[in-house]
Amino acid sequence: MQMTKRHSTVNTAQNLLVWLNATKGTPGKSRVVALLQAVQQLRAEREPKRRHKLLLEIFDRFAWYPSRLRLGMTIDPRSENWTVHWKMGQSVAEGDALNALLKLHDENLEQKVRQCRCGRWFFARSGKHNFCSRKCQLKATRSTAAWKKKNREHQRAYRKRNF
């Protein structure tokens, strides 16, 4: 049974979001977030010179990764058997996050990966979503001067009517 493309995309985005929300203050997270922001800016930019500059920045960021792969070979002098071993300089999870970012870019969906005011990363199902949850949306709305003014007026009228 094959997964639908949409389901696959949601899983890809979910893997990236879980990793972004789980890693706090690591250098790998900084690298992936900077790459995500550069890719998002490239998608939105219309000026050719600025697009070219952003593209070069993205290539420079990707160029960091291949040099972090360490290869080695161990030869057993008694049996003359050899084994190849490798180690990634960055964590495997960072590579998975990078892979998810590339898949989202291929499907033109990297713009939907956003960071809420609370710091949590989420996948915006539509272009209007700017908050990870209803709770964060209400908190942001209730902190505006316009809402506070309207609420004061409403509370005054309520107290006048009922007390």
Side-chain angles (χ1 to χ4, degrees):
M1 182 178 204
Q2 281 187 325
M3 282 195 305
T4 63
K5 185 176 179 179
R6 178 170 161 48
H7 186 68
S8 172
T9 301
V10 171
N11 283 344
T12 299
Q14 193 63 30
N15 292 340
L16 177 61
L17 297 174
V18 166
W19 185 81
L20 285 171
N21 288 324
T23 54
K24 304 269 188 226
T26 62
K29 180 177 182 175
S30 300
R31 286 188 293 270
V32 172
V33 168
L35 189 55
L36 172 65
Q37 290 169 343
V39 169
Q40 288 175 337
Q41 287 175 348
L42 178 68
R43 183 79 66 191
E45 186 61 51
R46 296 293 169 237
E47 183 186 333
K49 287 183 181 181
R50 180 74 179 127
R51 283 182 62 81
H52 181 72
K53 186 177 178 182
L54 284 168
L55 199 55
L56 291 176
E57 178 187 337
I58 290 169
F59 286 153
D60 286 345
R61 290 188 183 283
F62 275 118
W64 183 87
Y65 286 96
S67 63
R68 301 305 186 253
L69 180 65
R70 306 278 186 238
L71 291 172
M73 191 163 129
T74 306
I75 301 173
D76 184 2
R78 289 170 287 183
S79 64
E80 294 185 0
N81 289 337
W82 54 275
T83 56
V84 175
H85 52 90
W86 62 274
K87 182 180 178 185
M88 296 291 286
Q90 75 274 7
S91 69
V92 176
E94 183 179 349
D96 292 342
L98 196 61
N99 187 35
L101 174 59
L102 291 172
K103 285 182 183 178
L104 289 173
H105 175 70
D106 287 344
E107 296 178 24
N108 194 15
L109 294 172
E110 74 275 3
Q111 297 288 67
K112 292 190 172 199
V113 176
R114 299 180 183 163
Q115 190 172 22
C116 183
R117 287 183 180 183
C118 69
R120 186 168 177 259
W121 290 87
F122 69 101
F123 187 76
R125 300 215 183 265
S126 75
K128 294 180 180 180
H129 291 152
N130 293 316
F131 302 99
C132 66
S133 65
R134 178 85 172 134
K135 180 180 174 184
C136 283
Q137 182 182 11
L138 288 173
K139 186 176 180 181
T141 302
R142 290 177 177 166
S143 66
T144 63
W147 188 88
K148 288 178 181 180
K149 180 181 177 188
K150 185 176 179 179
N151 189 46
R152 275 193 307 271
E153 292 168 0
H154 173 73
Q155 292 298 326
R156 272 190 208 112
Y158 175 80
R159 284 190 298 274
K160 197 175 200 179
R161 271 192 322 265
N162 295 314
F163 298 110

